[in-house]
Amino acid sequence: MTKPITDNPQFYLTAPSPCPYLSDQEERKVFTHLVGERATFLNDVLTHGGFRRSQNIAYRPACDNCRACTSVRVLVDEFDYTRSLRRTRNAGRIYVGKEEPPTPSTEQYELFSRYLGARHGEGGMADMRLLDYALMIEDTHVDTVLIEYRRRADDRPDLPEEERGDGPLVAAALTDVLSDGLSMVYSFFEPEMRQFSFGTYLILDHIERARKMGLPYVYLGYWVPGSKKMEYKTRFQPQERLGPQGWMPAPRD
Protein backbone atom coordinates (compact mmCIF):
# COMPACT_ATOMS: atom_id res chain seq x y z
CA MET A 1 0.00 0.00 0.00
CA THR A 2 1.31 3.44 -0.94
CA LYS A 3 1.81 5.69 2.09
CA PRO A 4 0.26 9.20 2.19
CA ILE A 5 2.45 12.09 1.08
CA THR A 6 2.71 13.33 4.68
CA ASP A 7 4.33 10.02 5.73
CA ASN A 8 7.01 10.43 3.05
CA PRO A 9 7.09 14.14 2.15
CA GLN A 10 8.82 15.03 -1.09
CA PHE A 11 11.33 17.90 -0.99
CA TYR A 12 12.22 20.21 -3.86
CA LEU A 13 14.90 22.83 -4.47
CA THR A 14 14.28 26.25 -6.03
CA ALA A 15 16.51 27.91 -8.60
CA PRO A 16 18.87 30.67 -7.38
CA SER A 17 17.41 34.18 -7.03
CA PRO A 18 18.62 37.48 -5.50
CA CYS A 19 18.76 37.38 -1.71
CA PRO A 20 16.30 39.83 -0.09
CA TYR A 21 18.57 40.33 2.94
CA LEU A 22 22.18 40.38 1.73
CA SER A 23 22.80 42.24 -1.52
CA ASP A 24 25.87 40.22 -2.53
CA GLN A 25 24.23 36.82 -2.17
CA GLU A 26 21.78 34.57 -3.99
CA GLU A 27 19.18 32.46 -2.21
CA ARG A 28 17.83 28.98 -2.79
CA LYS A 29 15.16 27.20 -0.79
CA VAL A 30 14.24 23.62 -0.10
CA PHE A 31 10.51 23.12 0.29
CA THR A 32 7.72 20.61 0.68
CA HIS A 33 3.92 20.66 0.78
CA LEU A 34 1.92 20.72 4.00
CA VAL A 35 -1.23 18.81 3.07
CA GLY A 36 -3.33 15.97 4.37
CA GLU A 37 -4.29 14.78 7.84
CA ARG A 38 -0.74 14.90 9.21
CA ALA A 39 0.05 18.41 7.98
CA THR A 40 -0.04 19.85 11.50
CA PHE A 41 2.38 17.19 12.78
CA LEU A 42 4.70 17.76 9.81
CA ASN A 43 4.59 21.53 10.34
CA ASP A 44 5.63 20.96 13.96
CA VAL A 45 8.55 18.73 13.03
CA LEU A 46 9.78 20.97 10.24
CA THR A 47 9.49 24.17 12.29
CA HIS A 48 11.66 22.55 14.96
CA GLY A 49 14.15 21.90 12.15
CA GLY A 50 14.26 25.50 10.95
CA PHE A 51 11.50 25.54 8.32
CA ARG A 52 8.95 28.31 7.89
CA ARG A 53 5.42 28.10 6.50
CA SER A 54 3.93 30.08 3.60
CA GLN A 55 0.42 28.94 2.65
CA ASN A 56 0.64 25.15 2.28
CA ILE A 57 4.41 25.20 1.74
CA ALA A 58 7.14 24.62 4.34
CA TYR A 59 10.55 25.96 3.29
CA ARG A 60 14.01 26.73 4.59
CA PRO A 61 17.10 28.34 3.02
CA ALA A 62 19.45 26.03 1.15
CA CYS A 63 21.85 28.57 -0.35
CA ASP A 64 24.99 27.40 -2.15
CA ASN A 65 27.46 29.85 -0.60
CA CYS A 66 25.81 31.26 2.50
CA ARG A 67 24.45 29.99 5.83
CA ALA A 68 23.52 33.36 7.33
CA CYS A 69 19.79 32.70 7.87
CA THR A 70 19.33 31.42 11.42
CA SER A 71 16.06 30.28 12.98
CA VAL A 72 15.22 32.12 16.21
CA ARG A 73 12.81 31.35 19.03
CA VAL A 74 12.15 33.29 22.25
CA LEU A 75 12.11 31.50 25.63
CA VAL A 76 8.72 32.52 27.01
CA ASP A 77 9.10 31.64 30.70
CA GLU A 78 12.48 33.36 30.97
CA PHE A 79 11.65 36.38 28.82
CA ASP A 80 13.30 39.55 30.12
CA TYR A 81 11.43 42.84 29.77
CA THR A 82 13.87 45.69 29.30
CA ARG A 83 12.70 49.17 30.25
CA SER A 84 12.01 49.97 26.60
CA LEU A 85 10.02 46.79 26.01
CA ARG A 86 8.04 47.38 29.19
CA ARG A 87 7.06 50.84 27.92
CA THR A 88 5.88 49.34 24.64
CA ARG A 89 3.88 46.66 26.45
CA ASN A 90 2.20 49.23 28.68
CA ALA A 91 1.44 51.56 25.78
CA GLY A 92 -0.12 48.66 23.89
CA ARG A 93 -2.73 48.01 26.55
CA ILE A 94 -5.06 50.36 24.70
CA TYR A 95 -5.37 47.63 22.03
CA VAL A 96 -7.15 44.28 22.16
CA GLY A 97 -6.28 41.27 20.02
CA LYS A 98 -9.02 38.79 19.17
CA GLU A 99 -8.29 35.36 17.73
CA GLU A 100 -10.28 34.55 14.62
CA PRO A 101 -10.23 31.68 12.10
CA PRO A 102 -7.86 32.33 9.16
CA THR A 103 -10.54 34.00 7.06
CA PRO A 104 -9.60 36.98 4.83
CA SER A 105 -11.61 40.20 4.70
CA THR A 106 -11.59 43.40 2.67
CA GLU A 107 -10.71 45.38 5.81
CA GLN A 108 -7.64 43.20 6.38
CA TYR A 109 -6.53 43.53 2.77
CA GLU A 110 -6.84 47.31 2.80
CA LEU A 111 -4.67 47.51 5.92
CA PHE A 112 -2.24 44.97 4.43
CA SER A 113 -1.93 47.07 1.25
CA ARG A 114 -1.25 50.27 3.21
CA TYR A 115 1.38 48.46 5.24
CA LEU A 116 3.16 47.05 2.19
CA GLY A 117 3.05 50.40 0.38
CA ALA A 118 4.66 52.19 3.31
CA ARG A 119 7.10 49.53 4.56
CA HIS A 120 7.87 47.19 1.67
CA GLY A 121 6.97 49.08 -1.49
CA GLU A 122 9.77 47.46 -3.50
CA GLY A 123 9.46 43.97 -2.03
CA GLY A 124 8.20 40.84 -3.73
CA MET A 125 4.79 41.11 -2.05
CA ALA A 126 4.10 44.70 -3.14
CA ASP A 127 1.92 43.70 -6.10
CA MET A 128 -0.28 41.23 -4.21
CA ARG A 129 -3.97 41.52 -5.09
CA LEU A 130 -6.97 40.58 -2.98
CA LEU A 131 -6.98 37.00 -4.27
CA ASP A 132 -3.27 36.63 -3.47
CA TYR A 133 -3.88 37.94 0.02
CA ALA A 134 -6.84 35.61 0.53
CA LEU A 135 -4.68 32.61 -0.40
CA MET A 136 -1.95 33.73 2.01
CA ILE A 137 -4.46 33.75 4.87
CA GLU A 138 -6.76 30.80 4.20
CA ASP A 139 -4.54 28.33 2.33
CA THR A 140 -3.48 26.36 5.41
CA HIS A 141 -3.85 22.75 6.48
CA VAL A 142 -2.37 23.33 9.94
CA ASP A 143 -3.59 24.86 13.22
CA THR A 144 -3.64 28.56 12.34
CA VAL A 145 -5.33 31.63 13.80
CA LEU A 146 -5.60 35.23 12.65
CA ILE A 147 -5.38 37.73 15.52
CA GLU A 148 -7.09 41.05 14.80
CA TYR A 149 -6.14 44.09 16.89
CA ARG A 150 -8.46 47.01 17.55
CA ARG A 151 -8.52 49.85 20.04
CA ARG A 152 -9.90 48.90 23.45
CA ALA A 153 -13.46 50.00 24.20
CA ASP A 154 -13.44 50.75 27.93
CA ASP A 155 -17.21 51.22 27.97
CA ARG A 156 -17.82 47.48 27.31
CA PRO A 157 -16.76 45.80 30.59
CA ASP A 158 -19.54 43.22 30.23
CA LEU A 159 -17.72 41.54 27.33
CA PRO A 160 -14.86 39.02 27.59
CA GLU A 161 -11.44 40.66 27.42
CA GLU A 162 -10.66 39.68 23.83
CA GLU A 163 -13.99 41.00 22.57
CA ARG A 164 -13.58 44.52 23.95
CA GLY A 165 -11.87 45.82 20.82
CA ASP A 166 -13.77 48.42 18.84
CA GLY A 167 -13.27 50.59 15.81
CA PRO A 168 -11.17 49.97 12.70
CA LEU A 169 -8.59 47.23 12.37
CA VAL A 170 -5.11 48.53 13.29
CA ALA A 171 -3.01 45.33 13.13
CA ALA A 172 -3.24 41.62 12.36
CA ALA A 173 -1.05 38.58 12.88
CA LEU A 174 -1.25 35.23 11.09
CA THR A 175 -0.02 32.68 13.62
CA ASP A 176 0.49 28.91 13.70
CA VAL A 177 -0.15 27.06 16.95
CA LEU A 178 2.52 24.39 17.45
CA SER A 179 2.87 21.71 20.10
CA ASP A 180 5.52 23.80 21.88
CA GLY A 181 4.87 27.37 20.85
CA LEU A 182 3.44 30.02 18.58
CA SER A 183 4.99 30.62 15.18
CA MET A 184 4.48 34.13 13.80
CA VAL A 185 3.92 33.55 10.09
CA TYR A 186 3.18 37.14 9.02
CA SER A 187 2.02 40.33 10.70
CA PHE A 188 1.11 43.82 9.52
CA PHE A 189 -0.18 47.03 11.05
CA GLU A 190 -1.31 50.59 10.38
CA PRO A 191 1.79 52.38 9.01
CA GLU A 192 0.50 55.83 9.94
CA MET A 193 0.80 55.01 13.65
CA ARG A 194 4.47 55.94 13.78
CA GLN A 195 4.32 57.04 17.42
CA PHE A 196 3.87 53.43 18.54
CA SER A 197 6.14 50.45 17.87
CA PHE A 198 3.43 48.07 16.72
CA GLY A 199 5.81 45.45 15.35
CA THR A 200 7.47 45.13 18.75
CA TYR A 201 4.13 45.06 20.53
CA LEU A 202 2.82 42.19 18.39
CA ILE A 203 5.78 40.03 19.41
CA LEU A 204 5.32 40.95 23.07
CA ASP A 205 1.63 40.08 22.82
CA HIS A 206 2.48 36.68 21.34
CA ILE A 207 4.92 36.02 24.18
CA GLU A 208 2.15 36.71 26.70
CA ARG A 209 -0.32 34.58 24.74
CA ALA A 210 2.14 31.67 24.68
CA ARG A 211 2.71 32.09 28.42
CA LYS A 212 -1.02 31.85 29.11
CA MET A 213 -1.28 28.77 26.89
CA GLY A 214 1.62 27.05 28.68
CA LEU A 215 3.77 27.05 25.53
CA PRO A 216 7.54 27.55 26.00
CA TYR A 217 8.49 29.25 22.72
CA VAL A 218 7.58 31.97 20.25
CA TYR A 219 9.16 31.31 16.86
CA LEU A 220 10.23 34.51 15.06
CA GLY A 221 11.49 33.06 11.79
CA TYR A 222 14.95 33.90 10.53
CA TRP A 223 17.59 36.23 11.89
CA VAL A 224 20.33 37.32 9.49
CA PRO A 225 23.47 38.91 10.96
CA GLY A 226 24.36 42.04 9.00
CA SER A 227 20.78 42.60 7.80
CA LYS A 228 19.19 45.76 9.21
CA LYS A 229 15.76 44.29 8.46
CA MET A 230 16.43 41.57 11.04
CA GLU A 231 18.21 43.49 13.80
CA TYR A 232 15.01 43.97 15.82
CA LYS A 233 14.80 40.25 16.62
CA THR A 234 17.87 40.45 18.87
CA ARG A 235 15.87 42.61 21.32
CA PHE A 236 13.81 39.66 22.52
CA GLN A 237 15.93 37.80 25.05
CA PRO A 238 16.70 35.18 26.11
CA GLN A 239 16.39 33.37 22.82
CA GLU A 240 17.71 30.27 21.12
CA ARG A 241 19.14 29.97 17.63
CA LEU A 242 19.26 26.83 15.52
CA GLY A 243 22.75 25.72 14.51
CA PRO A 244 24.61 22.53 13.60
CA GLN A 245 24.38 21.37 17.23
CA GLY A 246 20.64 22.06 17.46
CA TRP A 247 18.88 24.85 19.36
CA MET A 248 21.45 26.73 21.44
CA PRO A 249 21.27 29.82 23.69
CA ALA A 250 22.02 33.00 21.75
CA PRO A 251 24.68 35.39 23.08
CA ARG A 252 23.23 38.48 24.70
CA ASP A 253 24.49 41.95 23.83
Side-chain angles (χ1 to χ4, degrees):
M1 179 182 295
T2 302
K3 290 187 176 182
I5 188 171
T6 47
D7 286 346
N8 293 293
Q10 301 297 307
F11 291 86
Y12 308 91
L13 188 64
T14 66
S17 62
C19 176
Y21 305 116
L22 302 175
S23 59
D24 59 341
Q25 297 289 344
E26 289 187 327
E27 71 167 357
R28 301 187 76 179
K29 296 175 182 176
V30 60
F31 69 94
T32 190
H33 294 88
L34 295 170
V35 296
E37 295 180 356
R38 299 191 67 202
T40 294
F41 169 76
L42 183 59
N43 189 41
D44 249 45
V45 171
L46 293 178
T47 300
H48 297 160
F51 280 70
R52 293 286 286 166
R53 184 181 72 83
S54 177
Q55 296 177 225
N56 64 0
I57 297 291
Y59 69 90
R60 68 170 296 173
C63 306
D64 295 330
N65 302 308
C66 180
R67 296 294 183 269
C69 289
T70 305
S71 293
V72 172
R73 66 186 185 186
V74 180
L75 278 67
V76 169
D77 291 337
E78 302 173 41
F79 181 68
D80 183 18
Y81 275 98
T82 63
R83 183 176 300 177
S84 174
L85 293 177
R86 194 175 294 112
R87 284 198 301 266
T88 300
R89 178 196 61 187
N90 293 340
R93 286 175 176 159
I94 65 173
Y95 302 105
V96 176
K98 183 180 180 182
E99 290 188 11
E100 302 280 7
T103 303
S105 70
T106 301
E107 185 182 28
Q108 294 167 17
Y109 176 68
E110 290 173 349
L111 175 61
F112 173 75
S113 296
R114 292 196 299 274
Y115 172 80
L116 286 185
R119 297 297 187 100
H120 305 286
E122 297 180 357
M125 301 174 70
D127 59 350
M128 287 180 64
R129 300 294 181 258
L130 179 57
L131 178 58
D132 302 315
Y133 172 79
L135 289 173
M136 182 181 81
I137 298 299
E138 66 185 5
D139 191 4
T140 174
H141 294 258
V142 304
D143 190 357
T144 304
V145 296
L146 183 69
I147 308 173
E148 294 189 339
Y149 295 83
R150 302 178 192 273
R151 194 174 181 89
R152 179 184 299 276
D154 291 327
D155 60 345
R156 305 174 71 183
D158 56 309
L159 296 177
E161 174 66 22
E162 70 168 14
E163 295 183 11
R164 294 182 189 175
D166 196 14
L169 184 69
V170 293
L174 186 66
T175 303
D176 287 349
V177 182
L178 308 176
S179 62
D180 67 349
L182 299 178
S183 177
M184 299 184 68
V185 177
Y186 195 81
S187 60
F188 53 95
F189 48 87
E190 181 56 67
E192 294 301 319
M193 301 174 66
R194 296 186 178 90
Q195 75 280 11
F196 179 62
S197 182
F198 234 126
T200 296
Y201 173 70
L202 294 180
I203 295 176
L204 296 177
D205 184 63
H206 276 70
I207 291 171
E208 292 307 316
R209 288 173 182 271
R211 192 192 309 277
K212 292 176 181 178
M213 297 169 70
L215 299 174
Y217 305 112
V218 171
Y219 290 81
L220 299 183
Y222 299 119
W223 169 72
V224 181
S227 170
K228 291 184 177 180
K229 295 179 181 179
M230 296 295 186
E231 285 180 356
Y232 72 93
K233 296 186 181 182
T234 63
R235 300 181 64 198
F236 303 93
Q237 298 283 350
Q239 63 180 231
E240 293 179 342
R241 296 172 186 167
L242 183 61
Q245 305 305 317
W247 289 97
M248 302 294 291
R252 302 183 68 163
D253 296 334

